[in-house]
Amino acid sequence: MSETIASIAIDDPVESHERQAIEVTITMKDGTRRWCFFVTPEGIPNYGDFLDSDHSVRIHFGASHMIVVSRISEDIVLKTLYHIDKVGEIERSTLEIKDTEQVDAQNP
């Protein structure tokens, strides 16, 4: 289905999208691994960093590897990543995982 993506692993249950970001690991055909996370509008208020001056406000910034979708399922995650790859944006929309790195949505 893709000339550059070998496999996609959805690391979190998509049903938990209202409580957490859904992390995804992508293995490229060249052997490199990449990482991103999906969020839905319903979930955004429930995770992310708090604004220092107002702990009732969550903020999200500087995350080119955050992909926002209006609804989520395993099929939507796959179709979205294949679309991003097809339009040539997979590297800009994901982070490379180094062999020694542990990926964490709050501290990529």
Side-chain angles (χ1 to χ4, degrees), residues 5-11 24-27 38 77-79 81-82:
I5 296 175
S7 66
I8 298 170
I10 301 171
D11 303 324
V24 178
T25 304
I26 304 157
T27 302
F38 282 72
V77 169
L78 298 176
K79 286 179 179 178
L81 289 171
Y82 287 129

Side-chain angles (χ1 to χ4, degrees), residues 34 37 44 48 50 71 78 82 86 89 100:
R34 303 194 68 82
F37 63 95
I44 288 174
F50 284 104
R71 65 182 205 280
L78 298 176
Y82 287 129
K86 182 179 178 181
E89 296 290 325
T100 59

Side-chain angles (χ1 to χ4, degrees), residues 42-102:
E42 299 85 14
I44 288 174
N46 300 320
Y47 42 80
D49 297 327
F50 284 104
L51 190 60
D52 287 342
S53 60
D54 185 344
H55 283 251
S56 68
V57 176
R58 292 197 183 252
I59 59 173
H60 305 270
F61 64 95
S64 61
H65 55 287
M66 177 174 72
I67 300 169
V68 181
V69 291
S70 59
R71 65 182 205 280
I72 194 163
S73 68
E74 289 184 15
D75 188 52
I76 289 171
V77 169
L78 298 176
K79 286 179 179 178
T80 300
L81 289 171
Y82 287 129
H83 171 80
I84 292 169
D85 184 44
K86 182 179 178 181
V87 299
E89 296 290 325
I90 198 72
E91 287 189 17
R92 286 178 20 126
S93 301
T94 59
L95 295 177
E96 184 174 1
I97 300 172
K98 306 287 186 198
D99 289 335
T100 59
E101 289 182 346
Q102 291 290 326

Side-chain angles (χ1 to χ4, degrees), residues 20-35:
Q20 67 181 40
I22 307 303
E23 297 185 26
V24 178
T25 304
I26 304 157
T27 302
M28 306 303 286
K29 289 187 178 174
D30 67 4
T32 60
R33 293 184 321 132
R34 303 194 68 82
W35 175 81

